[in-house]
Amino acid sequence: MRTSGTPSTYSSQARNLHWLLTNLVEEVPGLHSVAVVSSDGLLLLSSDPGRHTEERAGNSEGPKGSSADLATIVSGIGSLTLGAAKLMDGGGIKQTMVAMAEGSLFVTAISDGSLLGVHATPDCDMSVVAYHMALFVGRAGHVLTPELRSELRQSMENAQ
């Protein structure tokens, strides 16, 4: 996983969150990309944070499957499912899964409206992906404070 800056410039919470994301990507087979998105749809953390800027150079439409695209999709799905849950009196959203012919997309609520999104291969073990996402959320949810979200936003902006 590539990150902006040097790990020593991050707070201990940010380094811990980066480590959790790296661990998720390395331990779960079949993951294409992972993104943590704020409640307002901004990319906070990604398994490939530099990729969205490198690939966009010279491409006004943006690349398919980039970090920025995943963040946009995760934010949209989160908003859509939240609206559906309200209309159906279904309570809070725990996880949304979209199965496609060429992949799977998982979106899980973290805290304060933040979301964890995972784009995986079509043959991934969905239960393993869901389990590891739940572990990530359990470990990351309490540290994703407004201060940490601000630090992560700044590090993503610096990667551009």
Side-chain angles (χ1 to χ4, degrees), residues 4 10 14 18 25 34-35 62 77 79 85 95 101 106 108 112 115 120 127 129 132 144 149 151-152 154 158:
S4 62
Y10 297 131
H18 279 271
V25 171
V34 180
I77 287 176
S79 182
Q95 185 171 52
F106 302 83
T108 300
D112 241 8
L115 301 166
S127 62
V129 173
H132 281 275
L144 204 51
R149 285 192 295 271
E151 179 183 352
L152 293 170
Q154 187 65 42
N158 291 341

Side-chain angles (χ1 to χ4, degrees), residues 35-47:
V36 175
V37 181
S38 68
S39 60
D40 54 357
L42 295 176
L43 181 63
L44 297 177
L45 191 61
S46 170
S47 60

Side-chain angles (χ1 to χ4, degrees), residues 48-65:
D48 57 350
R51 182 174 159 202
H52 68 286
T53 54
E54 290 168 10
E55 291 181 359
R56 282 198 190 276
N59 185 355
S60 62
E61 293 179 30
K64 284 186 167 182

Side-chain angles (χ1 to χ4, degrees), residues 114-134:
S114 297
L115 301 166
L116 172 64
V118 171
H119 177 214
T121 61
D123 61 344
C124 71
D125 186 333
M126 293 180 194
S127 62
V128 170
V129 173
Y131 173 75
H132 281 275
M133 288 178 75

Side-chain angles (χ1 to χ4, degrees), residues 75-85 93:
S75 180
I77 287 176
S79 182
L80 179 65
T81 55
L82 182 63
I93 300 296

